[in-house]
Amino acid sequence: MKDLGIEIINLHKKYDDVYAVKGIDLSIKKGEFYGLLGPNGAGKSTTINAITSLVKPTDGEVKILGKNIVSDFRYARSQIGIACQELSNDFFFPVEELLYYQAGYYGVTRKNSKQRIDYILNKLGLYEHRNKKMRMLSGGMKRRLQIAKALVHDPQILILDEPTAGVDVELRHDLWKYLNELHAEGKTILLTTHYIDEAELLCERVGIIDNGRLIVEDTVKNLKNMVNKSGIIIHTKENFPNLDTILKDFNPAINQNRIEILTKQPNLDLPKIILKLSENNIRIEDVQLPKASLEDVFLDLTGRKIND
Ligand code: ADP
């Protein structure tokens, strides 16, 4: 299909006699920001490494911008930038030099890549560290360098394996901001993460992956709506013996002065509940509307937590 940035068809990967990926299909539109969310060992890295030929699939096919990554590998490579988890063995080279080498792999001369490299060094907060050897960088700076390397040849498609794993909060927020800018520029971005907030905040669509299979995918909003959890929690100022009779239409769970109501439409039911309580002169201490998260979706589907 013409409007697809990345297409994965029936991907399988077997290591020895264990399947790490058991038939994954993904269609990611051009310009889309897509997240693969799942626990460690779910098959996320194997899936994205198959896109960049770091992993040879046991079965299945991958297309980049409509072209097969094996038969059109030069084209595919030129369109993809990948920041994978493992750091390559560039530890003794200065940051800036590594970026020039990387540009060289794509046939861009030193002269022609200078402007781009300066821009990326600045964007990723690496400019002042450009002469440091990679081994001198902190863990967070190394992650930035991985992303800088992925961007040197200005690819259409950016693939990031756990881009913020192990980095501090401030750097995470900087990286998120920059990824949003890249998305706004029209890049297709696929990231893997086991951080729920990262997937919820950044991604237009999220695929939840577990045990080598994509178990569900949709927009964050639709995924959260799948969970039968949205509710209302109200604490009253005093205990009232007949709360369950007063609120019988809402099927409440009551524990002393705590009322919990499960509803698919909290915004519509809340005013009605408050009205009922005030008609009965019941004073409210506080009201909470707990929101479902992608963790609840995963829990509902697998019975486990993502980061257990
Ligand atoms: P994730 O990225 O979601 O943490 P991976 O794709 O790295 O998951 O791993 C999926 C499964 O495949 C895990 O059980 C892992 O141990 C196994 N695996 C990954 N790479 C290899 C390998 N090179 N050899 C053998 N098993 C592997």
Side-chain angles (χ1 to χ4, degrees):
M1 287 228 310
K2 261 190 147 177
D3 61 344
L4 292 182
I6 304 169
E7 194 177 8
I8 297 179
I9 305 153
N10 196 32
L11 180 73
H12 288 77
K13 177 65 189 177
K14 195 177 175 190
Y15 290 112
D16 303 322
D17 41 358
V18 180
Y19 272 97
V21 172
K22 302 170 183 166
I24 285 192
D25 292 288
L26 274 186
S27 295
I28 301 171
K29 292 192 281 286
K30 275 187 210 163
E32 191 172 23
F33 201 145
Y34 191 101
L36 269 183
L37 174 71
N40 281 327
K44 304 183 295 295
S45 298
T46 305
T47 302
I48 62 166
N49 287 340
I51 302 174
T52 50
S53 309
L54 289 171
V55 157
K56 190 169 185 283
T58 309
D59 200 2
E61 187 186 0
V62 180
K63 291 182 184 172
I64 289 297
L65 297 164
K67 298 199 175 170
N68 183 288
I69 59 158
V70 179
S71 53
D72 277 302
F73 76 93
R74 275 180 199 281
Y75 176 78
R77 297 242 173 117
S78 70
Q79 301 299 319
I80 299 174
I82 181 162
C84 47
Q85 285 204 54
E86 293 84 31
L87 297 166
S88 47
N89 50 356
D90 306 320
F91 289 95
F92 296 97
F93 290 92
V95 167
E96 192 177 35
E97 281 307 304
L98 282 172
L99 295 180
Y100 280 115
Y101 289 146
Q102 186 73 12
Y105 293 140
Y106 291 93
V108 189
T109 61
R110 213 176 166 86
K111 196 169 139 225
N112 288 343
S113 52
K114 177 159 182 18
Q115 201 182 356
R116 173 89 188 145
I117 287 174
D118 282 354
Y119 172 78
I120 291 171
L121 283 168
N122 270 313
K123 267 290 170 197
L124 286 161
L126 284 167
Y127 195 78
E128 63 193 84
H129 305 286
R130 67 190 183 285
N131 295 319
K132 284 188 189 160
K133 292 190 172 116
M134 177 170 156
R135 70 190 168 96
M136 313 284 284
L137 299 180
S138 65
M141 287 291 166
K142 286 193 183 106
R143 295 301 297 160
R144 293 190 201 201
L145 178 58
Q146 292 285 94
I147 297 174
K149 281 175 71 181
L151 285 165
V152 147
H153 59 297
D154 200 11
Q156 283 307 303
I157 293 172
L158 186 60
I159 298 175
L160 307 162
D161 198 2
E162 299 275 359
T164 65
V167 305
D168 63 54
V169 176
E170 197 186 337
L171 174 58
R172 281 184 94 194
H173 291 164
D174 283 356
L175 280 176
W176 286 351
K177 194 165 153 246
Y178 185 46
L179 293 179
N180 270 329
E181 278 177 43
L182 290 167
H183 176 224
E185 280 173 22
K187 303 261 186 244
T188 308
I189 305 178
L190 167 61
L191 64 74
T192 72
T193 187
H194 63 277
Y195 295 122
I196 288 128
D197 53 348
E198 184 158 284
E200 288 189 358
L201 270 166
L202 294 178
C203 301
E204 290 168 294
R205 275 196 308 149
V206 171
I208 296 184
I209 184 167
D210 185 40
N211 203 12
R213 292 201 168 85
L214 190 70
I215 52 176
V216 71
E217 65 167 358
D218 211 326
T219 60
V220 172
K221 190 168 171 228
N222 287 348
L223 287 173
K224 287 183 178 180
N225 283 340
M226 286 171 47
V227 182
N228 204 5
K229 191 199 166 200
S230 29
I232 298 170
I233 296 175
I234 296 175
H235 287 92
T236 58
K237 280 202 182 289
E238 301 92 17
N239 292 345
F240 292 89
N242 54 348
L243 273 176
D244 42 1
T245 321
I246 294 166
L247 295 175
K248 65 179 184 324
D249 296 345
F250 303 98
N251 198 19
I254 293 167
N255 183 1
Q256 300 191 343
N257 66 333
R258 183 182 189 276
I259 307 165
E260 180 164 1
I261 289 165
L262 280 180
T263 167
K264 287 272 184 200
Q265 42 180 24
N267 297 345
L268 294 180
D269 283 347
L270 182 61
K272 296 181 198 160
I273 293 164
I274 290 178
L275 185 64
K276 278 268 179 217
L277 294 174
S278 66
E279 280 170 0
N280 288 276
N281 297 320
I282 297 171
R283 293 185 303 159
I284 294 172
E285 177 83 40
D286 73 27
V287 176
Q288 295 158 20
L289 295 171
K291 296 254 185 302
S293 82
L294 292 181
E295 181 76 276
D296 300 309
V297 180
F298 189 80
L299 190 64
D300 255 22
L301 292 169
T302 67
R304 288 176 286 121
K305 288 188 157 192
I306 291 181
N307 293 315
D308 264 357

